[in-house]
Amino acid sequence: MTRRRVIAVLSVVGLVAACSPRTGNEGGTSGSALPVSPGKNAATSSLPYAGAPKVPDPLPVSVLSGDPCADALTHEQVVAAVGVDVPGKRGDLAPIGPGCTWFNRDTGGAVGVSYTINTHVGLSGVYANTQPQSAVWKELPPVQGFPAVAYAGNNGGAVPEGFCQASIGLADSFSVDVSLTLGSSKRHTEDACSLITRIADMTVTTLKAKAGS
């Protein structure tokens, strides 16, 4: 199994990139939407756009500084997500930001977290570029007050079984992306897009604690 690199990790320009896979040496899939930036001037003057919701109470961008393998999920949260306490594997993309994936070799399950800080457009890029290409698109209930969307697959193509990604807007100009690949025992019976809110909630909890809120 190949690992989906972001969310369209996520080639960095163009709509195709917005759903392209991140590959790695281990199985599992991680993702981060690849919004195409309209340019810094447009981004700072017109956010949000493309129907993306405004973030009412943003976190400081400093919560997405540092190493996501160390800061995005606690050891206990990793166990809750993939069943074992395993070290994360970094997978950064310069146009997007730093990312990390935790993979359970026994079950094939994985979770990924990517900090989307380099596009400067937050959820607006996801709405503009990822939504039109996604086979599955769900606006989620706010995650601790932060707007979020879940999505999977390419429009017109097969939806990856047992896989889903979500983007959570922490501010109008940046977001955190999470992905979930279900383990073999759940892959054919559970809906990853229904379960990804749990991963999103854990990640937001940890990042809010980092911000002291």
Side-chain angles (χ1 to χ4, degrees), residues 197-213:
T197 53
R198 182 185 181 198
I199 309 302
D201 185 74
M202 289 192 296
T203 305
V204 170
T205 294
T206 304
L207 294 176
K208 285 179 66 177
K210 185 177 179 181
S213 60

Side-chain angles (χ1 to χ4, degrees), residues 73-211:
L73 295 174
T74 66
H75 293 291
E76 292 78 13
Q77 289 170 333
V78 171
V79 173
V82 298
V84 290
D85 184 8
V86 291
K89 183 175 181 179
R90 282 290 290 264
D92 301 353
L93 288 180
I96 303 300
C100 187
T101 300
W102 294 263
F103 175 64
N104 185 326
R105 292 180 180 273
D106 294 328
T107 68
V111 294
V113 177
S114 294
Y115 295 168
T116 301
I117 54 177
N118 296 339
T119 63
H120 308 288
V121 295
L123 284 185
S124 295
V126 181
Y127 273 74
N129 302 306
T130 304
Q131 181 179 13
Q133 300 182 69
S134 298
V136 175
W137 175 270
K138 297 179 180 180
E139 293 189 352
L140 301 173
V143 178
Q144 300 186 39
F146 299 97
V149 293
Y151 44 92
N154 293 322
N155 194 11
V159 177
E161 189 171 45
F163 175 76
C164 191
Q165 354 190 75
S167 294
I168 306 97
L170 302 182
D172 290 341
S173 59
F174 60 87
S175 60
V176 61
D177 302 322
V178 300
S179 66
L180 172 65
T181 300
L182 297 178
S184 55
S185 64
K186 295 183 178 180
R187 197 164 299 153
H188 306 296
T189 59
E190 301 280 358
D191 176 15
C193 284
S194 295
L195 299 176
I196 200 166
T197 53
R198 182 185 181 198
I199 309 302
D201 185 74
M202 289 192 296
T203 305
V204 170
T205 294
T206 304
L207 294 176
K208 285 179 66 177
K210 185 177 179 181

Side-chain angles (χ1 to χ4, degrees), residues 35-103:
V36 178
S37 172
K40 290 185 179 180
N41 292 337
T44 56
S45 64
S46 61
L47 293 177
Y49 62 87
K54 187 169 185 62
V55 179
D57 188 16
L59 290 177
V61 70
S62 59
V63 300
L64 300 186
S65 64
D67 181 1
C69 289
D71 297 343
L73 295 174
T74 66
H75 293 291
E76 292 78 13
Q77 289 170 333
V78 171
V79 173
V82 298
V84 290
D85 184 8
V86 291
K89 183 175 181 179
R90 282 290 290 264
D92 301 353
L93 288 180
I96 303 300
C100 187
T101 300
W102 294 263
F103 175 64

